[in-house]
Structure formats: structure tokens, C-alpha cells
Amino acid sequence: MNRVKTALRTPWFWGIVGIALLLLINSIKNPAYLALSINPTTGMLTGNVLDILRVSAPIIMIALGMTFVIATGGIDLSVGSMMAVGGAVAMETLRSLDGSSPIGAMFAAIGLAVVLAMVLGAINGFLVSVVGLQPFITTLIMMLAARGIARVVTGGQNTNATNEPFRLLANGQIFGIPTSFVLAIAIVLLIALAMRRTALGLMIESIGINPHASRLAGIRPRPILFGVYVLSAALAAVGGLFSVSEVMTVSVGGTGNLMELDAILAVVIGGTSLAGGKFSIVGSTVGALLIATLNKTVLFLGIPAAATPAFKAVVIIVLVLLQSERVRSWAFGGSSRRSSGPTRPAAEQGTPPVSKEVVA
Amino acid sequence: MSSTRTLAEAIPPVPNLAETKNTAVAGGLARLWERNQTLIPTLAALVLLFGMLIYAEVAYGRVFHAGTMSSLLISFAPTIILAVGMTIVIVSGGIDLSVGAVVAFSSVAGVMLMNIGIDGWASMVLMILFGALFGVIAGVMVQYFSVQPFIATLAMMFLARGLASMLSTTPIQAPENSPIHLLATDWKLIDGPKVNDLTITPGLIIAVLVVLGGMFYMHRSRSGRTVYAIGGNESSAGLMGLPVARTRVGIYIISGALAGLAAVVYTAEVGGKAQNVTGIGWELDAIAAVVIGGTLLTGGYGYILGSVVGVFVIAAMRLIITKDGTINPEYLTIITGGVLLVFVLLQRVLTRRRAS
């Protein structure tokens, strides 16, 4: 019974319930929804579940970066535009290197895309950690500017390119699982190890709880803050690469458009508080999968894709309400031994997210 | 910011309860002088605005023409209305990311109502009420469920945009005889030579009334002072016995209703056309206007008129870029971002000086 209660308290448990519910709805509409089959021409596994995994890869990448930024008490609104920058650089590079060795061109494209995004992320990081600007406004400006940079890179055009190895990033499979999803999970595991096997994750969380106190405790907030924004930008660029490799075209207005909201949503679904101070990598990954499932479900039910935001809104409203102390005390108040009682803890009152600022 | 907030910052602007009518002007000037530091960004915005306009006049001509000025004012009327609402929200320490999407929903829903035969005026009132309804949900989430303003209004943004798209993904048109067209009637005040007429529209008058109303609310009413107090320090405001909960929910309702009103004015301006993609990025324009106008993003300080100046700065910037023609439209967002950054840095320098 206790285990059930713990599970109910784990926020990403609800994420998994959500995914299961959505898959159930799809299966009711079409009982063969979950079925996998082999495409006779390409010899690859196909199925709706694999589609969901493939489209979840970019969301996992931006959600992962966003997780650490939010854990420091910040926010990165520029990830969607960073995806566009990454995609634009990659497509332009591939186009100009057309004719040289495809593998070399692919690595050049990936390298340039990630490096340029990291430079932009470093600007974010500098403004937040050294200048002391609010993350919200810094990255809002970068969101505007990076979208413009993506346009400048491609000259305002939607560039397309051909490069077989790059195309396989999203369209290939490893043991029947989409390559981009495998790569995304590998990156998640790598970063999770780096965060949890070292004190890095702990330091990020301590900055999110109280930057002043953590500085007094000997943690230097600047390099860590700087680092999370660079990491977020780099991961967003990788997400952008996954996203453009699916269609081998970058749409300077469309690639990554509103995706920062998906990233934030994934992090919130995963149970990370937007106030910072803790993070769950598993949670954010579950959140990203839920969003990908939701996107696909809405399409599958025949609702116009433009209406998806309304469903995301309902999900986000339900989740933030479930996470709020008031609802929890209503729901669990009678049976649980929560010490906080029906009122909100004082610390949570009146701290709007934008007012969080780093003591530099 | 909360950890570094000094006592001086935590105290909301002094209420001018003792002021009589006679000393109001002198007291107002003294207070402006006393708080001149917070006016520096606004003044900088004014200088920038005139600099840009003079540059544009010298470089391209026909800027200080009644025709150019009135068309600029008329086309930015919805942005002015949104910026007033955004100022109130930001002064309270919050943010409203939903305004652009609410404009889209209100406008699509309103035009649909007109098309199914609902009275035109009633539809316009409903458009404002729809906006207010989104504000109610956001306000209740922020106040009673401790959802951060950012995330609550983000949810409203998704919801409004999604609902607008559910209603229609193609442009729809209000009936010819709908009274909404009256709001875009050109009233010639001065009949200049050629196209150099000074014209205003009822939509622009609505925007001016909203600005005046916003100034009265923020700078003269008890409720407005509560908004400053909440932005300065919410717990102090509560301890002072100010109606924090009621005021804060009200702030988001005002912002939502003004977004609905902006939808009415905008829909009229474009000839009764409504589309689900209207208003993308308008929240950013409104936030940029508020920030350029000198309102602190951390809350507690700000002027309605400053935000109006901010809208004019953005308008002048667009004017120069359009008139120039050689600036790639691709650079537009980079330039907007750069200007916003400069003003945020200016804010940062000023707040740091005050804190020390």
C-alpha cells in the first residue's frame, strides 16, 4: 500500500499513466494501433509506436537541456529557435558540401550546428551568470534573435539537402528502433551518469534552491549556470538535427516553433518544479514521450494538428493543479500525514518564476 | 531578485492619500523627481524614439507627416491596448504570455458569432468577455493554486490558440453590415494636401481611452497601488491588509479583457477578417514595449505611459525598416532582440546601482 502511495506521489507516474491512457484511446479507435509490421520494400519495422519514439527524440533533447536550466531556477525559452539554428546550419553545410564524402559532410554539419548553437548558448549563459539578467528575459531575447539568425543562415529560404547518412539519423533503425531515439536515449544516459555519478547534479540543484547559500558553501554558481545554458543550446541543436533529418529540410519559421513550450511541458510533467532546486531526468524523458504520444494521438483522432495546443493546455493545467499543494491536500488530506496541512508552504508563496535571479 | 531585494525596493510607492487637488501637480512633479532613477529607462526610450523618428525623417522623408503618423498610430492601436494590460501584469510581478493567442481566439469566435446572426455589438462584448474568461482561469491558477504566472498564462496561450484553430483554420469574414466595421471608420481631422490627412479611427480612440483608464487605475486608484505593492513584496502587501487575492485575480482578468478588446479593434482594422494564426508573437511585442518603457520585469515599478512610449519605439523601428527597404526582413527579429537586450541591460545597471 505504501508503495502505491509512493508511486502516486511520483509525478512522472502520472506521465506514464497519461501515455497508457492515450495509447488505450488510440487502440479503442483502431485495435491494430499498437501492432508492428515489416515494410516489405525497406525491410524496416514500422508502426505507430515507432513513429512516436522517432518524433519524441527532438523533444527528449530539448526537455533534457531544459531540465537542468529549470533546476537552476532559470528557464530557456530559446530552445525552439536553437533547433532552427541547428537545422539551418546543418542543411546549409550539407548543401555546400554536396559531392564530398557523405560521412565527412555529415560530421561537419553536425559539428558546425552544435558549435554555433553553443556559442549562442554561451551568450545566454554569460548574460545570466555574469551580467545577472533574468533567464526568462535573456532567453526570450535569444528566442527572437536566434530565429532571425536561422533566417540569415539560410537567406530566409527553407533549405533542403541530400545526404544519406544524415537522413538515416531519423529514418534509420537500430534493432528496429529509430536511430534518433536510440541516440537520444544514449545522450540521456551519458548526461544522467555525468550528473548523478559526480556532484554536478547536486550543485545544479543547490543553485536552484539558494544561489547565495550555495556560494557560501563553496559552490561557484557562475561556471555551472554558464554551463547549463551552453548544454541546453547544444542539446537543442541536436534536437534540431534529429528534426530536420526526418524531412531533410529546415523550415526557418516552422522548425522548433513553439517547441520551447513542449520542453517546459515535458519538464513539468516529469515533476520538476519550475521554481528549481530539483530535477528528474527520467521524469523529463517520460514527459517528452507523453508529448510525442499526445501529438500523434491528436493527429490519429483526425483533429487538425493546429488544435494540438488546446490538448497540451488541458494536460498542463491538470498536471500543475495535481502538483499544487492545495489540490494534494484535498485529495490526500484525509489519509496522509502531510505536515504542511492545507495551506501552501510559506516559501512557495509569491515567488514568481521571473523574479528568480542569481546572486552574482 | 527576492534574495537581493533591499528594504527600499520592498516598499511600494508611497500612496498619495494625503494629496489634495491643489498639490497634486507639484506633488506629482516632486515624486517624479524623487523617483527619477526609475524614469531613466523611460527617458532613454523617449530619446531613442525621437532620434529614430528624426533619423527616419532625414533619411527617408515623409515621417513627420500627418498621414504617416496617423496610419502608424492606427495600426499600433491593438499593441497599445495589449501593452497597457501587460504593464499592469508585469508591475504585479507576473507575466501574461497568452495575450496574442487570446486575440486570435476572441477574434475568430467573435466573427463566427456575427456570422451566425448574433447582434454585432453583443458579439463585440462577448469577445471582450472571452478574453476576460481566459484571464479568470489564469488568475485563479496563479492565486489559488500557486501556479507560476509564466506557466499559467503559457497554458492559456496553448488553450486559446488551440481552441481558435478548432473553430477555424481558414480566415473568416464578418458580415458586410456588421457594426464592427464602424470601429475602423476613418475620421479626417485635418484634410491635408494629397494623402497627408490627419485621420483617427474609433479604434484608436478606444486605445487612448484604455491608456487613460490604465493610468487612472495604476497611478490614482487604491487597487492600482495594491498592484504596485504586490509587485514590490507580496507578503508585505498581505500583511498590510491589502486585498492581494482579489487584486491579483483582477489583474489577469484585466489583461485578458484588454486582449479581447484588442481583438475587437484589430478585427475591425483588418476589415472584419479573423484568423487562427493572428497575434503570433504579439505577447513579445507587448513585453518588449513594457520593458523598453521602463517597467521592471521583477515588478513593483513601472508606468503605463512608459509602455506607450515603448510601443512607439517598436513602431518607429518597424517604420525605419519598412522605409529603408535594404534591411533584410530576416534581420528584423535580431534588431528587435538587440534593442530589447539594451534596455534590459540598462534596467540591470540601474537596479544594481539602487541596490548598492
Side-chain angles (χ1 to χ4, degrees):
Chain A
M1 196 58 206
N2 266 338
R3 197 174 291 170
V4 174
K5 260 185 195 165
T6 322
L8 287 177
R9 287 272 163 72
T10 313
W12 51 264
F13 169 80
W14 295 103
I16 291 177
V17 170
I19 295 175
L21 267 176
L22 287 172
L23 290 178
L24 186 69
I25 292 170
N26 288 330
S27 303
I28 291 170
K29 180 150 191 260
N30 178 1
Y33 187 81
L34 295 176
L36 296 174
S37 62
I38 290 176
N39 185 326
T41 48
T42 58
M44 289 201 288
L45 270 178
T46 54
N48 293 311
V49 182
L50 295 180
D51 277 350
I52 291 173
L53 293 185
R54 187 174 62 238
V55 297
S56 74
I59 308 176
I60 291 174
M61 289 292 93
I62 52 174
L64 183 63
M66 187 71 84
T67 306
F68 303 121
V69 175
I70 288 181
T72 65
I75 194 98
D76 188 350
L77 296 181
S78 65
V79 289
S81 300
M82 291 293 182
M83 285 179 69
V85 169
V89 171
M91 284 296 115
E92 281 296 318
T93 316
L94 289 181
R95 170 169 265 202
S96 60
L97 289 182
D98 200 18
S100 52
S101 125
I103 296 276
M106 177 185 80
F107 281 113
I110 295 174
L112 278 175
V114 173
V115 166
L116 180 61
M118 283 172 85
V119 169
L120 297 179
I123 297 175
N124 276 340
F126 175 80
L127 289 172
V128 171
S129 66
V130 180
V131 182
L133 288 186
Q134 291 159 306
F136 170 70
I137 199 70
T138 307
T139 56
L140 190 73
I141 295 168
M142 186 54 81
M143 170 184 168
L144 282 173
R147 181 70 61 185
I149 290 167
R151 284 182 203 281
V152 170
V153 166
T154 66
Q157 302 297 311
N158 292 346
T159 307
N160 54 354
T162 46
N163 180 297
E164 193 49 25
F166 190 84
R167 199 187 68 84
L168 288 178
L169 274 187
N171 296 297
Q173 286 186 342
I174 296 175
F175 301 120
I177 297 168
T179 315
S180 58
F181 182 75
V182 174
L183 288 174
I185 292 299
I187 293 172
V188 168
L189 289 177
L190 204 71
I191 290 178
L193 278 179
M195 290 293 169
R196 291 305 189 198
R197 291 285 158 185
T198 68
L200 207 54
L202 208 60
M203 289 193 226
I204 288 175
E205 290 178 329
S206 84
I207 290 173
I209 294 166
N210 188 335
H212 196 65
S214 55
R215 197 182 53 151
L216 293 179
I219 296 167
R220 292 191 302 149
R222 265 183 201 172
I224 290 174
L225 268 176
F226 186 83
V228 295
Y229 287 93
V230 175
L231 178 66
S232 171
L235 287 172
V238 174
L241 295 175
F242 288 156
S243 174
V244 294
S245 87
E246 208 177 326
V247 283
M248 289 308 279
T249 306
V250 61
S251 148
V252 285
T255 299
N257 186 30
L258 293 181
M259 291 281 278
E260 48 283 334
L261 308 177
D262 281 0
I264 296 167
L265 185 51
V267 174
V268 176
I269 291 171
T272 298
S273 153
L274 278 164
K278 67 175 173 124
F279 65 79
S280 162
I281 293 173
V282 181
S284 298
T285 312
V286 170
L289 280 167
L290 175 59
I291 291 166
T293 315
L294 185 66
N295 285 343
K296 281 282 172 192
T297 304
V298 168
L299 280 180
F300 186 68
L301 296 179
I303 300 160
T308 330
F311 294 91
K312 288 182 186 164
V314 174
V315 174
I316 205 168
I317 291 170
V318 169
L319 281 167
V320 291
L321 292 187
L322 278 177
Q323 286 181 20
S324 89
E325 284 297 324
R326 193 176 280 254
V327 171
R328 289 192 172 201
S329 65
W330 287 343
F332 304 108
S335 59
S336 78
R337 300 169 302 279
R338 290 186 74 82
S339 56
S340 58
T343 50
R344 296 171 282 168
E348 274 188 24
Q349 286 185 2
T351 39
V354 291
S355 74
K356 278 231 168 210
E357 208 166 315
V358 174
V359 181
Chain B
M1 195 67 207
S2 48
S3 54
T4 59
R5 201 185 282 282
T6 63
L7 189 60
E9 274 181 300
I11 297 171
V14 184
N16 50 355
L17 292 171
E19 247 174 32
T20 64
K21 256 187 182 167
N22 297 339
T23 58
V25 176
L29 280 179
R31 223 174 39 246
L32 286 186
W33 185 246
E34 191 182 299
R35 284 196 261 146
N36 62 352
Q37 270 196 334
T38 65
L39 270 177
I40 291 176
T42 316
L43 292 178
L46 263 178
V47 171
L48 179 74
L49 173 63
F50 284 110
M52 284 163 90
L53 287 178
I54 290 165
Y55 167 78
E57 174 68 43
V58 172
Y60 318 111
R62 295 195 49 168
V63 168
F64 289 109
H65 273 218
T68 313
M69 283 294 159
S70 17
S71 67
L72 207 59
L73 281 177
I74 290 167
S75 59
F76 275 88
T79 319
I80 293 175
I81 297 173
L82 292 180
V84 169
M86 190 66 83
T87 313
I88 301 173
V89 178
I90 291 183
V91 166
S92 82
I95 193 97
D96 189 349
L97 297 182
S98 71
V99 290
V102 169
V103 167
F105 175 79
S106 281
S107 136
V108 171
V111 170
M112 280 192 141
L113 288 175
M114 291 170 200
N115 276 330
I116 59 167
I118 309 277
D119 177 66
W121 295 110
S123 305
M124 281 186 253
V125 172
L126 282 172
M127 284 167 83
I128 300 171
L129 287 180
F130 289 146
L133 201 62
F134 284 105
V136 172
I137 307 176
V140 166
M141 280 169 79
V142 171
Q143 178 59 38
Y144 295 103
F145 295 95
S146 313
V147 180
Q148 287 149 325
F150 172 68
I151 212 74
T153 57
L154 195 71
M156 288 304 113
M157 173 188 185
F158 271 48
L159 190 63
R161 185 71 66 194
L163 290 177
S165 308
M166 268 188 208
L167 290 179
S168 168
T169 48
T170 49
I172 47 172
Q173 175 74 42
E176 264 329 298
N177 58 354
S178 169
I180 194 164
H181 297 293
L182 297 177
L183 292 181
T185 329
D186 281 342
W187 289 339
K188 257 181 220 176
L189 291 190
I190 301 169
D191 198 352
K194 289 183 186 166
V195 289
N196 194 14
D197 302 331
L198 184 65
T199 47
I200 55 168
T201 59
L204 181 59
I205 293 175
I206 291 176
V208 172
L209 290 177
V210 166
V211 171
L212 293 176
M215 285 171 70
F216 177 80
Y217 176 79
M218 286 300 273
H219 308 313
R220 283 289 171 273
S221 80
R222 194 179 283 267
S223 192
R225 282 190 290 273
T226 308
V227 176
Y228 280 97
I230 294 173
N233 188 327
E234 190 202 337
S235 16
S236 314
L239 291 173
M240 280 156 70
L242 294 170
V244 172
R246 178 154 50 91
T247 309
R248 179 136 61 195
V249 176
I251 290 166
Y252 289 93
I253 297 177
I254 292 174
S255 177
L258 285 180
L261 185 61
V264 173
V265 171
Y266 179 76
T267 311
E269 190 50 43
V270 294
K273 212 181 282 167
Q275 229 182 323
N276 66 321
V277 290
T278 302
I280 289 179
W282 286 14
E283 51 284 329
L284 296 178
D285 279 354
I287 294 168
V290 171
V291 170
I292 291 172
T295 298
L296 282 191
L297 271 168
T298 41
Y301 287 96
Y303 308 97
I304 299 283
L305 264 190
S307 305
V308 177
V309 173
V311 174
F312 291 158
V313 169
I314 293 172
M317 214 161 66
R318 300 268 157 87
L319 179 81
I320 291 178
I321 290 167
T322 335
K323 285 238 172 201
D324 186 276
T326 62
I327 301 174
N328 262 330
E330 284 92 62
Y331 286 93
L332 180 67
T333 52
I334 303 181
I335 297 169
T336 317
V339 172
L340 190 52
L341 178 64
V342 168
F343 277 88
V344 175
L345 285 174
L346 187 66
Q347 272 193 5
R348 180 68 198 155
V349 171
L350 291 172
T351 49
R352 189 172 267 175
R353 186 187 298 162
R354 204 169 38 238
S356 62

